[in-house]
Amino acid sequence: MPEELHRGRPPSIRDVARLAGVSHQTVSRVLNHHPSIRPETKQRVLDVMAELQYKPNRAARALVTSRSHTIGILSASSTWYGPASSIAAIEEAARAAGYWVSTANIESSDARSIADGLAHLAAQGIEGLVVIAPQVRVFDTLAQLSIDVPYVTLQSTGRAPGHALSVDQIAGARMATRHLIDLGHRSIYHLAGPQDWIEAEARMLGFLEEMSARDVPTTAPILGDWTADFGYYAGRELLTVRDFTAIFSSNDQMALGLMHAIRDAGLEIPRDVSIIGFDDIPEAAHFWPPLTTVRQDFAELGRRCVALLLGDLDPAAPDYRGTITPELVVRGTTGAPLF
């Protein structure tokens, strides 16, 4: 870094312009990806920015350009694997597109919390909004509010038509159930997620649809809470009857609890009971045995989400609405039944 800049202040846009031999307006055009800048000029400016470790002032840029280059995320239940992975994927895709991300985590999904979260994001001048809210009641509330920026909803299967982007949870659940049936299982339980969660509802529907399509008798799904603790205690209760050969768990954490209960009972997986999960959390490959599960491509979800928002902001960009098909990952917890 040039000696004259070691004065206890961060480098400014004028410092970049002076050392690159261009006007500060040219530096501003480079920052805003203006198409009129010659490639060699752009590279020279970028090289100086890197040398000075220059970081543009987001607030100042918004004042000058009347654009914040910020995407807002309204998120409920962001501590769970699915929502947290979606946020991380969107942040990465947004940075690659030259956008900032501001996230409003709402602890409660009541109307007041949702309105406060939207107001917080609106105050930052967001140019687009992503709603990651797995609960049905959140979308019921959003339908009554006025959202005046382009927005995309995730995990909203069958809701918010025209704005929805999601992994096809129903298809993923059918894959999991079909895998068990193809192995020869006919006594299959489904450990579902919480009743108000859209993903849990979709996975339950997929399970029931596949069982019906294959003419396999069903029992009522068991409503869980996503935790390994619930999976463990549900497994212990089910094993007092043991009228099943396989369990499809609506997420990997509950599957882990089920596996613990089965091993505690002196049984082996998959010889005595087959287990299949959903999500393919990073630890799933290291369960013992490694967990057969359904993988969601969160990176692709993030890329499509940002592309859709920028498409709404820029009519020339492609439209990425729709659903992403998940992938069945077969590992060591599923096999043919003994009886």
Side-chain angles (χ1 to χ4, degrees):
M1 184 179 293
E3 186 65 30
E4 62 268 24
L5 292 179
H6 288 279
R7 306 296 186 193
R9 67 170 179 82
S12 69
I13 192 172
R14 293 185 182 277
D15 293 325
V16 174
R18 178 167 53 82
L19 292 175
V22 298
S23 68
H24 71 274
Q25 291 94 338
T26 297
V27 177
S28 179
R29 292 189 185 99
V30 170
L31 288 171
N32 289 288
H33 309 287
H34 199 282
S36 67
I37 303 297
R38 293 197 304 271
E40 59 271 22
T41 302
K42 178 180 180 179
Q43 190 58 53
R44 188 164 73 249
V45 171
L46 292 174
D47 289 344
V48 171
M49 287 181 184
E51 179 187 355
L52 299 182
Q53 298 179 9
Y54 170 73
K55 295 181 175 58
N57 185 310
R58 180 164 51 140
R61 285 179 64 191
L63 286 173
V64 172
T65 65
S66 297
R67 294 186 62 180
S68 66
H69 281 84
T70 300
I71 292 172
I73 299 178
L74 180 71
S75 174
S77 306
S78 58
T79 56
W80 293 102
Y81 178 73
S85 298
S86 298
I87 292 172
I90 292 165
E91 287 176 342
E92 183 176 352
R95 283 195 301 270
Y99 276 72
W100 305 83
V101 170
S102 179
T103 302
N105 291 301
I106 54 176
E107 296 298 325
S108 171
S109 54
D110 61 84
R112 177 62 181 271
S113 296
I114 295 168
D116 288 347
L118 290 173
H120 171 75
L121 294 171
Q124 300 176 57
I126 60 170
E127 296 182 41
L129 173 68
V130 183
V131 180
I132 304 176
Q135 296 88 353
V136 175
R137 58 185 178 275
V138 175
F139 288 94
D140 292 340
T141 300
L142 285 172
Q144 302 171 22
L145 300 175
S146 175
I147 301 176
D148 57 2
V149 295
Y151 71 95
V152 178
T153 64
L154 301 188
Q155 302 163 314
S156 57
T157 307
R159 295 170 175 83
H163 299 277
L165 177 65
S166 63
V167 174
D168 192 335
Q169 307 293 324
I170 295 175
R174 294 194 69 158
M175 285 179 192
T177 309
R178 186 180 310 124
H179 176 64
L180 294 173
I181 295 172
D182 287 346
L183 288 170
H185 293 278
R186 293 297 180 272
S187 301
I188 306 170
Y189 274 87
H190 177 48
L191 183 53
Q195 187 171 18
D196 187 49
W197 279 59
I198 295 167
E199 288 180 331
E201 178 186 333
R203 293 171 193 177
M204 185 191 307
L205 179 60
F207 166 76
L208 294 172
E209 284 183 356
E210 188 64 25
M211 293 285 278
S212 176
R214 299 291 292 272
D215 199 25
V216 178
T218 59
T219 56
I222 302 161
L223 298 182
D225 66 0
W226 296 134
T227 67
D229 281 347
F230 186 93
Y232 177 76
Y233 291 113
R236 290 187 60 174
E237 289 296 316
L238 289 172
L239 288 169
T240 62
V241 180
R242 201 183 165 189
D243 57 350
F244 58 93
T245 61
I247 303 175
F248 165 36
S249 172
S250 194
N251 78 333
D252 292 346
Q253 285 92 343
M254 290 192 297
L256 175 60
L258 286 168
M259 293 170 67
H260 184 185
I262 292 166
R263 297 298 288 270
D264 270 4
L267 303 175
E268 292 189 17
I269 303 167
R271 189 193 69 180
D272 298 304
V273 181
S274 285
I275 299 291
I276 189 166
F278 204 111
D279 280 337
D280 194 25
I281 63 175
E283 298 82 7
H286 304 286
F287 291 0
W288 188 252
L291 181 65
T292 296
T293 185
V294 177
R295 175 183 297 156
Q296 304 188 70
D297 190 344
F298 290 107
E300 178 64 14
L301 189 68
R303 284 191 294 269
R304 291 196 191 187
C305 181
V306 172
L308 174 55
L309 279 180
L310 298 186
D312 279 343
L313 297 169
D314 176 6
D319 190 337
Y320 283 91
R321 286 187 182 89
T323 58
I324 298 170
T325 302
E327 173 190 1
L328 178 67
V329 181
V330 179
R331 297 193 180 107
T333 57
T334 50
L338 289 179
F339 58 89

